[in-house]
Amino acid sequence: MPVPTTLEADAARLRGVMTASLVRDGVLVDPDWRAAAASVPRHRFVPGFYLPASKHDGHGLSVWEPVTAESDHGRWLSAAYSDLTLITQFDDRETDWRDPGPLYGGTPTSSSTMPSLVLRMWADADVAEGHTVLEIGTGTGYSTALACERLGSADVTSIEVDPHRMETAANALYDCGYAPTLAVADGLYGYWPEARFDRIVAACSFRAVPPALVAQSRPNGKILLTLSGWLYGYARALLTVAEDGSAEGQLLPGTVSFMSARAHVAPSFGNPDHWIAGLPEKPRTARHAPKRITAESEEAFHLRFLAQCAVPGVQLHTAGEAVQLVDVVSGSAASLTPVGDSWEVREGGPVKLWGRVESILDCFDAADRPGPEEFTVSVRGAEQYVRHPHMPSLALPRV
């Protein structure tokens, strides 16, 4: 199907509407980022993507519908200029966008992040003219293009671990007139050939701050990244690097999640029934219900990150009403079951998993339930801690 002759005009109109909406929402305060958002043609970076269907399949799996310019031009262009994250890859497998089909279930592994979040990341990192920038996670290239539009291509380096993703992004960037330094590389190790950087911004999440990123930052340089883990707790941290090579900064408010760096993805833990079968038969009454960390609320989102710091090897599984915790590192497990208005917990292995989570919840409540912005992250060599003045320090895992 030929591309409609009005495509660029329609795209410019929709881009203007999106930009105006982001301004009204308070996302685009800086006029230079506003100009970048109004200029970068996002549709050129997303020739195909998946959107969630309105219903699950008969087995409860999520259904993802492919959208391309050829299959549904209007929906494709409208979505490209909506404040949506557009999934472009599942389970590290490339889609043939000439003949895509629906997907059932699966794990997203690459996307074009929603424009409001991309722009907020660049703004939060305090990126300005004259800064050299390393972006980790090129993805589709849209975020890279925004940085190039704002700073000029010469000051932007972007790396991506997936060669095919990088090839697609590079073609789109060059076709749009942007020429940043691009490289296929693992974000855990940054990119030494272009170091040192004034700003490092990661569009993926890490279990701890990669030491290479600190080493590749100039003194007084800033690193913005998302910390995550196997419990799927997330927190954004903005760190400033000191002359001595240490780094420190605050957690930022809000609920943001990014796909994990490939090397930090949670491992498979096998059949949860096998883990639960070996637990003691006699339970105890839990002091806290699991909804403290599983509820769909900003506080639960924050608490899941803090709990994860206390039990970094833990993964969570639900089986009916029961909530199960499995730790492949220590070999420990726990199972929580509702009984009336309370919960009973059985724990086995060298680490009492739910007991550790409860201790964090107790301290959190005693500290008057502080928000993310009241916590700091400090990095000194291999030692990395999340700290609050009225709570025990929580060590990030050594990875």
Side-chain angles (χ1 to χ4, degrees), residues 3-349:
V3 177
T5 56
T6 59
L7 170 58
E8 295 306 325
D10 289 343
R13 176 180 57 81
L14 291 171
R15 191 159 57 248
V17 171
M18 181 188 77
T19 301
S21 176
L22 295 176
V23 170
R24 286 195 303 272
D25 292 343
V27 174
L28 284 173
V29 177
D30 186 316
D32 292 315
W33 284 117
R34 189 183 312 159
S39 300
V40 175
R42 191 187 188 203
H43 68 283
R44 303 270 293 272
F45 295 89
V46 285
F49 47 83
Y50 285 95
L51 293 176
S54 57
K55 297 181 179 180
H56 289 72
D57 75 348
H59 302 287
L61 293 175
S62 298
V63 179
W64 296 88
E65 298 175 341
V67 180
T68 66
E70 289 72 21
S71 66
D72 190 335
H73 179 81
R75 188 184 187 195
W76 165 74
L77 193 59
S78 177
Y81 290 105
S82 299
D83 195 26
L84 297 172
T85 292
L86 306 175
I87 307 300
T88 54
Q89 185 192 70
F90 281 84
D91 301 314
D92 299 330
R93 298 174 183 171
E94 292 300 328
T95 298
D96 182 355
W97 293 111
R98 295 168 299 180
D99 185 27
L103 292 178
Y104 301 89
T107 301
T109 47
S110 190
S111 67
S112 176
T113 302
M114 59 197 301
S116 62
L117 177 52
V118 170
L119 289 158
R120 182 165 54 144
M121 293 284 286
W122 287 125
D124 285 346
D126 193 24
V127 173
E129 284 82 5
H131 286 157
T132 55
V133 171
L134 172 64
E135 177 190 41
I136 298 173
T138 312
T140 65
Y142 173 67
S143 175
T144 317
L146 289 168
C148 291
E149 186 70 30
R150 173 75 166 80
L151 303 174
S153 297
D155 287 332
V156 178
T157 298
S158 185
I159 61 174
E160 168 63 48
V161 72
D162 185 320
H164 186 87
R165 292 283 90 209
M166 176 56 83
E167 180 182 7
T168 303
N171 289 335
L173 284 162
Y174 297 150
D175 286 347
C176 290
Y178 303 114
T181 298
L182 300 174
V184 176
D186 191 326
L188 288 175
Y189 307 103
Y191 197 61
W192 284 103
E194 296 293 315
R196 296 184 173 187
F197 300 98
D198 295 298
R199 299 290 185 269
I200 297 178
V201 177
C204 60
S205 63
F206 300 98
R207 296 183 69 208
V209 181
L213 303 189
V214 178
Q216 291 174 26
S217 297
R218 287 196 176 102
N220 296 314
K222 295 183 179 181
I223 303 170
L224 179 65
L225 80 170
T226 301
L227 297 170
S228 66
W230 298 344
L231 200 56
Y232 298 105
Y234 298 89
R236 287 194 310 149
L238 179 61
L239 307 176
T240 299
V241 177
E243 292 277 355
D244 64 1
S246 63
E248 190 163 346
Q250 285 184 301
L251 298 184
L252 300 182
T255 56
V256 170
S257 62
F258 275 105
M259 297 172 191
S260 296
R262 303 283 171 100
H264 285 189
V265 171
S268 298
F269 57 81
N271 187 334
D273 291 341
H274 295 169
W275 290 82
I276 304 307
L279 296 179
E281 292 186 7
K282 187 176 180 179
R284 67 172 176 85
T285 300
R287 297 198 308 277
H288 295 277
K291 68 179 181 181
R292 289 291 305 272
I293 64 170
T294 61
E296 294 183 4
S297 67
E298 286 201 17
E299 183 175 274
F301 188 94
H302 174 43
L303 280 173
R304 193 154 59 247
F305 171 74
L306 298 179
Q308 174 181 275
C309 293
V311 283
V314 161
Q315 297 180 63
L316 184 147
H317 172 78
T318 57
E321 292 186 294
V323 175
Q324 301 168 348
L325 304 178
V326 171
D327 185 341
V328 299
V329 177
S330 70
S332 305
S335 178
L336 293 107
T337 307
V339 179
D341 294 330
S342 62
W343 287 75
E344 290 185 342
V345 57
R346 295 183 297 135
E347 298 174 286

